[in-house]
Amino acid sequence: MRHLGAVVCLLVSLMLTTAANIAEDHGTAISAENLQRLRPYDRIDFAGFNAKLKIGWFAANDDATEFVLFDQSGEIYGFSFSDESRRGLNRQEQSAQPFALIDGVQIQGEPIILHQLDGQYLINENRLKKGQVPIALFHGISEDDLFVEATDDDGQTHFLHYWLDRETGELSLQDVIPFPDRAGDAPAMRIGRINFPVVIVSALAESRLYFDIYPDSFSESGVKEFQLVNGPAVFGAVNAPAASHLAWTSPSRQQLNLLNLETGENRIVAALDGAYPQYLLLSKDASAILAVNLDFRPAVVGWNAESGERYDLGPYRECGRIPDKVELSRDGKALIIGCDTGLDIWRVFE
């Protein structure tokens, strides 16, 4: 791909080898079978760098060995564990124009940055469709697809489907996908922190759940509906990329549930007794559920989704507040926790 423009061109030149060239073992995919061996493995300490890093936002590559970070003034940095000789924090040149980072992802080791620059919305150096205010960026279904969540002038949510030309770095708009409005006028909420192409809407009064995954079910005939006995669901996580299960809790948070999105079968995994999970995650194979900062404790807790056995896996790094971002790596092998003091990367090893 050619240079990415004034905003990220230096960052790309400093990002290191792709995952295909990394010989280091990164452990095994997190699952119920090895959950008790999930431990802190790598860390990025913000205090060790001459930068005003106080924000735990990150964009990680597929195996959580390279990261994009940004500081309070909006400057972007790259960090890599891939090559010891070049390991460290790499800063890009600050743009002279007003810059605001909105979101970012990494695709095949290259950072894709959604930002506002001098009043324009861009992905890298590509201007986005006018009349839409972008609020989030998602990996595509294939490696050359990107999706932007945006709102229009009427406040309606849409998903903009872009195709990325790897040779030129240019984006082309393929489709504008309306948000699937399933509950009508009934009180409803979208379950957050679930990335497109999955959209899950919970009807609060009826304890019904509407499950859409693009492109298969973004039609009236394709949506899946579930009636929850102990709902409604207000918080949850799906396993990516399969999206075959949803781990969820109700407003009372009495139980942790696992819903099979293919069969509709729901299982009560464990009692929560009102404890609030700030972050809930589901392993790639849907066999293990993780909670980060459960009931405001700075620790990681896991459950075997089949047996309900609980594992108190220990504290994460000392932070001045609740983590800013938590996610599983796309290969399913790492739990990444980002807060105001830095990043923790947890992995499973024998």
Side-chain angles (χ1 to χ4, degrees):
M1 182 184 291
R2 66 184 173 93
H3 73 88
L4 299 179
V7 177
V8 292
C9 59
L10 182 58
L11 176 60
V12 171
S13 69
L14 292 171
M15 293 303 284
L16 307 181
T17 56
T18 62
N21 297 322
I22 299 171
E24 183 183 355
D25 179 19
H26 301 305
T28 58
I30 299 167
S31 69
E33 182 180 348
N34 57 38
L35 187 56
Q36 70 274 17
R37 299 200 305 273
L38 180 62
R39 291 291 184 271
Y41 179 73
D42 279 323
R43 60 190 289 141
I44 300 173
D45 296 316
F46 290 166
F49 303 113
N50 185 24
K52 297 177 181 179
L53 291 166
K54 295 288 184 182
I55 302 169
W57 180 91
F58 58 84
N61 68 343
D62 289 357
D63 60 10
T65 59
E66 297 180 357
F67 299 87
V68 175
L69 310 167
F70 81 105
D71 66 14
Q72 291 172 297
S73 62
E75 292 184 86
I76 300 176
Y77 299 82
F79 185 95
S80 177
F81 293 107
S82 301
D83 188 336
E84 194 68 34
S85 67
R86 299 179 63 186
R87 179 169 172 165
L89 195 71
N90 301 310
R91 173 182 173 274
Q92 70 128 57
E93 292 292 341
Q94 174 100 23
S95 171
Q97 298 171 305
F99 170 84
L101 184 143
I102 300 171
D103 204 356
V105 297
Q106 289 200 51
I107 296 180
Q108 297 294 302
E110 294 187 9
I112 310 296
I113 305 298
L114 171 63
H115 62 282
Q116 186 179 31
L117 182 64
D118 196 26
Q120 300 277 347
Y121 293 109
L122 303 99
I123 294 178
N124 293 347
E125 60 185 11
N126 298 275
R127 287 187 177 87
L128 298 189
K129 182 179 183 288
K130 291 185 178 181
Q132 303 276 1
V133 177
I135 58 177
L137 179 66
F138 303 107
H139 286 271
I141 299 168
S142 71
E143 65 180 31
D144 293 323
D145 284 327
L146 287 170
F147 290 94
V148 175
E149 182 174 341
T151 57
D152 61 20
D153 294 336
D154 296 326
Q156 300 299 310
T157 298
H158 296 82
F159 300 96
L160 311 180
H161 179 197
Y162 287 94
W163 183 77
L164 174 67
D165 188 319
R166 292 190 165 275
E167 294 298 321
T168 65
E170 294 181 355
L171 289 175
S172 57
L173 181 62
Q174 303 294 299
D175 196 8
V176 178
I177 307 153
F179 186 90
D181 183 13
R182 301 303 185 189
D185 295 331
M189 63 171 288
R190 177 183 175 188
I191 298 182
R193 295 179 183 161
I194 293 178
N195 290 344
F196 194 83
V198 172
V199 174
I200 297 180
V201 174
S202 178
L204 302 179
E206 302 173 354
S207 291
R208 294 191 69 80
L209 201 72
Y210 301 90
F211 168 68
D212 284 280
I213 181 167
Y214 180 83
D216 298 341
S217 64
F218 269 59
S219 65
E220 290 300 324
S221 61
V223 63
K224 289 187 177 181
E225 298 182 29
F226 305 98
Q227 183 71 53
L228 303 178
V229 174
N230 57 338
V234 296
F235 191 64
V238 298
N239 57 321
S244 61
H245 291 75
L246 169 73
W248 66 275
T249 66
S250 69
S252 65
R253 301 183 301 277
Q254 292 303 307
Q255 294 131 351
L256 178 62
N257 299 265
L258 184 68
L259 174 66
N260 187 318
L261 294 169
E262 296 173 348
T263 67
E265 177 191 2
N266 188 74
R267 178 189 307 133
I268 297 176
V269 175
L272 288 179
D273 299 324
Y276 178 68
Q278 290 288 342
Y279 292 92
L280 200 63
L281 306 107
L282 186 58
S283 66
K284 200 169 184 178
D285 65 356
S287 69
I289 302 173
L290 293 169
V292 175
N293 199 275
L294 179 66
D295 210 21
F296 301 99
R297 290 174 50 243
V300 179
V301 176
W303 291 269
N304 182 313
E306 177 68 32
S307 69
E309 184 175 1
R310 171 171 166 161
Y311 299 92
D312 289 289
L313 300 173
Y316 53 81
R317 66 182 307 118
E318 185 175 343
C319 302
R321 59 176 180 261
I322 292 167
D324 297 323
K325 184 175 182 179
V326 176
E327 69 179 23
L328 295 177
S329 61
R330 284 173 64 82
D331 66 3
K333 295 183 179 182
L335 166 66
I336 313 163
I337 302 171
C339 69
D340 59 333
T341 62
L343 272 58
D344 273 4
I345 299 95
W346 293 48
R347 296 186 184 276
V348 173
F349 287 92
E350 295 296 336

